[in-house]
Amino acid sequence: MVKCDNCGVDVPDSFELCPNCGKSLKSSKEKEEPSSQQSDLGRCEKCGSQLAEGVVFCPACGSKVTQPPKPEKTSQRFCSKCGQAIEEDATFCPECGANVFTGEDSEYNQINEDNRSFIEKINFNAIVLPTIVSLVVAIILSLIGLFVGFSWFSFILAVILSVGFFAGTIDNEANATISGLIVGIILGIIENPLVEFMFGAFAAGFYEGFFGGHLLVLTVISVIVGYVSNRYLKEYIINIAEKIGIPWI
């Protein structure tokens, strides 16, 4: 509808002259036009009258309004943390609760995570691959250390380096502690066999008689390192792991 400049009567947009006073409506239409370009989707296809949003029939001519199809979305957004498809205007992922822009857990998730008990946090599926890799690296470092220095300190350094890094890539400190426990126990069990592998049975017997076994020491150190690494150094370790392409990050 357009208001006539001369008499003030509301006239349908399809009229060129005011039916009340006969004055041209051209100047009135120019004043009514919005500054930005109008979309044809808001006008009646039959008479050209402006339509309110959601109307079914044109109030000027009574014809049924054809609703235009909604434009399809050309792009889909995904959570930067878990990869879940999300709505265009979403800030937090409906799947994992993380901020879709930063990947960080929401304050609510962080509070819930802190309130969970140690047992509730344990997820063995999350520690299988990091633990295997950590153990393999610990064995390799132990062999290198034995070759260089032939000392039981080789196993201590191997545990600190391997568990200290890979435990920091695990999702929480409970799983990191379990991973450290497993690596420490296994490395402690195979300590003497590794010495025998490197230097033979005689050297292994001398090593065991002189140094003894270190199963308990390696286990305790590995557990402590796993917890501390994940609890306090996780952010720094994750940054490094992402740069070198650790597959489970």
Side-chain angles (χ1 to χ4, degrees):
M1 302 290 284
V2 61
K3 187 180 290 294
C4 176
D5 285 342
N6 186 46
C7 65
V9 173
D10 290 330
V11 184
D13 290 334
S14 58
F15 284 50
E16 297 296 330
L17 300 175
C18 176
N20 184 54
C21 65
K23 184 176 176 62
S24 174
L25 298 173
K26 183 177 180 181
S27 60
S28 301
K29 289 182 179 181
E30 290 176 352
K31 292 180 181 179
E32 292 289 334
E33 284 291 334
S35 56
S36 59
Q37 186 176 3
Q38 283 262 0
S39 169
D40 290 338
L41 300 179
R43 293 184 180 277
C44 175
E45 294 180 354
K46 185 173 182 180
C47 69
S49 298
Q50 189 74 38
L51 301 175
E53 184 178 357
V55 298
V56 179
F57 294 94
C58 174
C61 67
S63 61
K64 188 171 182 179
V65 176
T66 303
Q67 297 294 336
K70 294 182 178 180
E72 296 182 359
K73 294 183 178 179
T74 57
S75 61
Q76 176 68 58
R77 293 180 64 207
F78 297 91
C79 173
S80 59
K81 183 174 183 180
C82 71
Q84 172 71 24
I86 55 177
E87 296 293 333
E88 186 176 354
D89 57 349
T91 302
F92 293 97
C93 174
E95 181 69 18
C96 67
N99 186 304
V100 298
F101 301 104
T102 65
E104 298 178 354
D105 285 337
S106 66
E107 184 178 351
Y108 175 80
N109 274 8
Q110 292 171 352
I111 293 174
N112 279 355
E113 180 68 17
D114 291 338
N115 289 336
R116 291 169 63 197
S117 68
F118 186 92
I119 300 298
E120 290 174 331
K121 292 180 180 179
I122 295 176
N123 177 11
F124 286 103
N125 291 330
I127 69 175
V128 172
L129 186 56
T131 302
I132 293 175
V133 175
S134 179
L135 179 60
V136 171
V137 172
I139 292 173
I140 294 173
L141 293 177
S142 297
L143 293 174
I144 294 174
L146 287 173
F147 180 77
V148 173
F150 189 64
S151 170
W152 70 278
F153 289 107
S154 303
F155 296 94
I156 301 296
L157 292 175
V159 162
I160 293 174
L161 293 175
S162 63
V163 174
F165 179 79
F166 291 104
T169 64
I170 300 176
D171 57 349
N172 61 58
E173 70 279 5
N175 290 327
T177 302
I178 298 296
S179 177
L181 176 67
I182 295 172
V183 173
I185 291 175
I186 295 177
L187 193 62
I189 292 173
I190 65 175
E191 176 185 3
N192 197 258
L194 288 177
V195 175
E196 184 176 350
F197 171 78
M198 288 290 294
F199 303 105
F202 177 79
F206 174 80
Y207 175 91
E208 185 174 9
F210 189 80
F211 294 111
H214 302 96
L215 173 60
L216 180 60
V217 174
L218 290 173
T219 302
V220 171
I221 292 177
S222 187
V223 167
I224 294 174
V225 170
Y227 177 84
V228 172
S229 171
N230 190 276
R231 185 68 175 178
Y232 301 105
L233 303 175
K234 184 179 181 69
E235 181 179 351
Y236 305 102
I237 293 174
I238 289 293
N239 289 336
I240 296 173
E242 289 178 341
K243 291 179 181 178
I244 64 179
I246 298 298
W248 59 84
I249 300 301

